[in-house]
Amino acid sequence: MRISDFLKRYNLHGSLINNVEYDSITKRVFLETELCKWQKSDYDESKDPEMIDGFIVFEDVTCFETDCVKDFDADEILEVVLISKNQSSERAKIVTDGVNIIIIEAGNVDWYPL
């Protein structure tokens, strides 16, 4: 799905990033994430866990930038902003409490729980 649709479906604020990997050959970015599930509209407190482990996978990546000042280690996502879009891709900026900023432009993104 497009990044804008993904951000409507998943509220990433409070989720944790444990690792980030970019595969330049397959043009994919993998964010190893603990998704903060309690902020989703369909969250059921009586049966759903608050956090769920998995990966956010960006595909058809045309831009990946980060100004990481340290390795990711359960960095909390503070903000995700869609900063541009065109017919084939969209660009998002992810800001974490670990003073890391990630810029990703991709054609598709999806969530894969473990």
Side-chain angles (χ1 to χ4, degrees), residues 28-55:
R28 291 183 179 162
V29 172
F30 301 87
L31 301 183
E32 182 182 337
T33 307
E34 292 176 51
L35 183 66
C36 189
K37 193 154 165 83
W38 65 270
Q39 294 197 45
K40 285 190 66 188
S41 60
D42 64 349
Y43 175 70
D44 183 344
E45 183 178 349
S46 66
K47 64 178 181 174
D48 293 333
E50 287 187 15
M51 305 290 277
I52 186 167
D53 293 333
F55 290 89

Side-chain angles (χ1 to χ4, degrees), residues 12 14-21 30-35 51 54 56 58 70-80 94-97 100-102 104:
L12 297 180
S15 297
L16 306 176
I17 298 176
N18 295 315
N19 191 32
V20 176
E21 291 184 24
F30 301 87
L31 301 183
E32 182 182 337
T33 307
E34 292 176 51
L35 183 66
M51 305 290 277
I56 299 171
F58 293 86
K70 66 173 192 66
D71 290 336
F72 289 90
D73 182 23
D75 288 13
E76 182 179 348
I77 296 174
L78 300 177
E79 178 181 50
V80 181
I94 302 169
V95 180
T96 74
D97 70 339
N100 287 320
I101 296 174
I102 303 168
I104 299 174

